[in-house]
Amino acid sequence: ETGVTQSPTHLIKTRGQQVTLRCSSQSGHNTVSWYQQALGQGPQFIFQYYREEENGRGNFPPRFSGLQFPNYSSELNVNALELDDSALYLCASTPAGPLSDTQYFGPGTRLTVL
Amino acid sequence: SQQGEEDPQALSIQEGENATMNCSYKTSINNLQWYRQNSGRGLVHLILIRSNEREKHSGRLRVTLDTSKKSSSLLITASRAADTASYFCATDRTSGSRLTFGEGTQLTVNP
């Protein structure tokens, strides 16, 4: 168990809709990263938040946005969903201190866009 | 784009045999990590090796890193059916920064 939880587990949306995915990490994990994993591929970095500020972004359009809250939870929002957004979305948190190189992943949210 | 490439893409072995997976990457790194993923679920962290380390062990896992060749290998000894999963290597360029993953190796251990 990594102590990182995500909700919902599965989600089905239609093209053009908006979706919010949630992640909760352990106390003291002040960095959260989000990844998109298409079927049969490795995860791709979307963005990272550190102490509630965006701290790096991958090659994803602005309709992918995020928030991090003081209680170590975070959100990934995707607007104007496209079919290619169907994927497993993973969040990962990083503890402060000497273990700060390791990212601990949640179980993921499987998003299907029809 | 993916930085890492795993080799082989798929590996099928018998229980008790050793499994070796390789990973290559393109740019300089700070750390290289190996993760396991069961059936499209979350990633489980296995082991981290720093750029100034050459070999690391954890239980039945042995990881090597050759920064001159920009490659790493993961050895699982005495494999078990429960080791069946996808294995990914991931690199970062600074501590705690974005991870860049390879495409993964699908390992099947037959009982």
Side-chain angles (χ1 to χ4, degrees):
Chain A
E1 291 296 326
T2 63
V4 181
T5 60
Q6 291 186 244
S7 63
T9 305
H10 296 89
L11 199 53
I12 299 175
K13 291 285 189 177
T14 57
R15 195 170 45 184
Q17 286 188 312
Q18 177 267 341
V19 68
T20 297
L21 310 182
R22 294 181 172 83
C23 172
S24 179
S25 52
Q26 295 183 54
S27 174
H29 286 217
N30 53 16
T31 301
V32 65
S33 304
W34 285 89
Y35 295 83
Q36 180 196 66
Q37 186 179 21
L39 197 61
Q41 298 183 18
Q44 296 253 23
F45 175 76
I46 303 175
F47 44 58
Q48 184 182 85
Y49 279 79
Y50 173 70
R51 293 186 176 178
E52 303 162 48
E53 297 285 334
E54 189 176 289
N55 185 44
R57 188 177 183 91
N59 189 26
F60 281 81
R63 59 189 185 85
F64 285 78
S65 63
L67 286 171
Q68 185 186 25
F69 302 101
N71 65 352
Y72 305 106
S73 66
S74 65
E75 290 181 355
L76 164 65
N77 298 288
V78 187
N79 293 322
L81 284 166
E82 301 177 358
L83 298 179
D84 285 349
D85 296 333
S86 294
L88 180 69
Y89 288 85
L90 298 160
C91 76
S93 69
T94 307
L99 296 177
S100 63
D101 291 359
T102 299
Q103 296 188 21
Y104 296 93
F105 283 79
T109 293
R110 173 73 62 187
L111 172 65
T112 302
V113 182
L114 302 176
Chain B
S1 62
Q2 300 289 336
Q3 152 142 280
E5 294 181 1
E6 275 94 342
D7 165 44
Q9 289 187 333
L11 180 62
S12 181
I13 60 174
Q14 295 300 121
E15 222 170 14
E17 294 180 338
N18 296 340
T20 300
M21 289 161 272
N22 303 298
C23 165
S24 61
Y25 56 91
K26 298 174 184 175
T27 64
S28 62
I29 63 169
N30 181 47
N31 301 304
L32 186 143
Q33 305 183 53
W34 285 90
Y35 286 86
R36 185 185 75 222
Q37 185 176 43
N38 290 80
S39 300
R41 300 177 66 182
L43 296 166
V44 175
H45 183 260
L46 296 177
I47 197 164
L48 178 151
I49 187 165
R50 302 186 189 284
S51 59
N52 62 353
E53 298 176 313
R54 291 297 167 258
E55 186 170 318
K56 207 161 183 181
H57 296 255
S58 176
R60 295 185 295 114
L61 306 180
R62 172 177 169 255
V63 169
T64 61
L65 178 64
D66 186 337
T67 52
S68 67
K69 295 181 179 179
K70 291 186 170 59
S71 67
S72 172
S73 68
L74 171 68
L75 168 68
I76 304 174
T77 60
S79 63
R80 306 166 182 168
D83 294 329
T84 295
S86 293
Y87 291 82
F88 294 91
C89 69
T91 59
D92 66 36
R93 302 194 69 179
T94 58
S95 293
S97 67
R98 69 180 69 184
L99 293 177
T100 302
F101 286 84
E103 297 290 338
T105 293
Q106 173 62 51
L107 173 66
T108 302
V109 181
N110 301 299

